[in-house]
Amino acid sequence: AQSVAQPEDQVNVAEGNPLTVKCTYSVSGNPYLFWYVQYPNRGLQFLLKYITGDNLVKGSYGFEAEFNKSQTSFHLKKPSALVSDSALYFCAVSPRGSEYNFNKFYFGSGTKLNVKP
Amino acid sequence: GAVVSQHPSRVICKSGTSVKIECRSLDFQATTMFWYRQFPKQSLMLMATSNEGSKATYEQGVEKDKFLINHASLTLSTLTVTSAHPEDSSFYICSARGRVSYEQYFGPGTRLTVT
């Protein structure tokens, strides 16, 4: 069965410090990988994606993520956190070559990031 | 580009009534749209996949007669919650598959409250 794990319900970090939000997956093949951010009562905003190429992907708002094939992980990182980064973050995975399955997304459970001033 | 809208953003309805939520791709054609449900502090649960001109594909455990999905055009999909009950209260989010097959663009969500 396909699954995506975000092991931390919540991550607390001080403003200016680096942050990491973890994501691991169990999906067949080499999936497409995504990170989204959600603010209260809002939809999902795209941050970044890994399709192919360099394992370090840079995205919006200074975020980046590192794809690790051997560990099947796609952790989200930012060198210096801002209070405005406080939100709910979702990792999503879509199996490659799953066009027959309409490219479904499998979402992690979400991680609440709290950045304190 | 690749903007998806939802209407309404919030709706309150009485138990037993039906409510329709619209999902539109504003600047691109979406042959496939997805409907998700999100409970408070939880992840998104895929309800169904909607393809233009054909019947929706529902996920296991989702009642197709309760959650009616229509994808009548390449820019519009609708979700109708029929005979709503308080337990249907939730945040409903749609997404549309973009020109590149592996991308999805998400709408801002609709907060449904059934009293």
Side-chain angles (χ1 to χ4, degrees):
Chain A
Q2 323 281 22
S3 66
V4 182
Q6 291 180 242
E8 302 151 318
D9 290 338
Q10 189 167 294
V11 168
N12 299 311
V13 65
E15 187 174 32
N17 283 1
L19 69 88
T20 299
V21 182
K22 296 179 181 177
C23 173
T24 59
Y25 59 91
S26 176
V27 175
S28 55
N30 295 316
Y32 304 116
L33 305 167
F34 303 84
W35 275 101
Y36 289 87
V37 59
Q38 184 181 35
Y39 294 94
N41 293 311
R42 303 290 295 274
L44 273 65
Q45 294 180 32
F46 171 78
L47 280 179
L48 49 79
K49 65 179 182 282
Y50 174 81
I51 304 302
T52 188
D54 194 350
N55 289 345
L56 184 64
V57 178
K58 294 189 183 297
S60 306
Y61 313 119
F63 284 93
E64 57 190 30
E66 187 165 13
F67 168 58
N68 187 315
K69 185 175 180 179
S70 62
Q71 296 184 6
T72 61
S73 67
F74 190 55
H75 300 331
L76 180 71
K77 301 181 180 184
K78 188 172 182 180
S80 179
L82 299 172
V83 173
S84 57
D85 292 330
S86 298
L88 190 57
Y89 290 80
F90 289 100
C91 178
V93 173
S94 183
R96 200 177 295 255
S98 65
E99 286 78 10
Y100 70 94
N101 207 22
F102 308 116
N103 298 100
K104 287 183 182 180
F105 274 27
Y106 296 90
F107 282 90
S109 53
T111 299
K112 188 169 187 295
L113 174 65
N114 296 313
V115 182
K116 299 188 185 303
Chain B
V3 178
V4 176
S5 70
Q6 279 184 243
H7 179 79
S9 58
R10 288 179 176 268
V11 58
I12 300 172
C13 70
K14 292 188 176 181
S15 187
T17 62
S18 296
V19 62
K20 181 185 287 188
I21 302 170
E22 293 185 346
C23 176
R24 293 182 185 273
S25 57
L26 297 184
D27 51 2
F28 67 102
Q29 293 183 333
T31 55
T32 302
M33 291 185 172
F34 302 87
W35 286 96
Y36 296 86
R37 183 173 179 177
Q38 186 181 29
F39 291 101
K41 300 182 181 180
Q42 294 191 26
S43 187
L44 280 72
M45 180 192 79
L46 179 64
M47 298 174 65
T49 303
S50 163
N51 288 290
E52 187 267 336
S54 64
K55 290 183 179 180
T57 302
Y58 289 82
E59 295 298 300
Q60 194 172 9
V62 178
E63 298 177 59
K64 62 180 181 181
D65 294 329
K66 180 166 186 60
F67 298 100
L68 300 179
I69 292 172
N70 184 285
H71 194 156
S73 77
L74 288 172
T75 58
L76 173 64
S77 176
T78 60
L79 168 67
T80 301
V81 183
T82 62
S83 187
H85 287 265
E87 56 263 32
D88 298 326
S89 298
S90 193
F91 195 54
Y92 292 87
I93 301 176
C94 75
S95 72
R97 196 173 76 179
R99 299 176 187 87
V100 182
S101 63
Y102 49 72
E103 294 182 341
Q104 287 189 29
Y105 300 97
F106 288 82
T110 296
R111 171 73 59 192
L112 170 64
T113 302
V114 184
T115 60

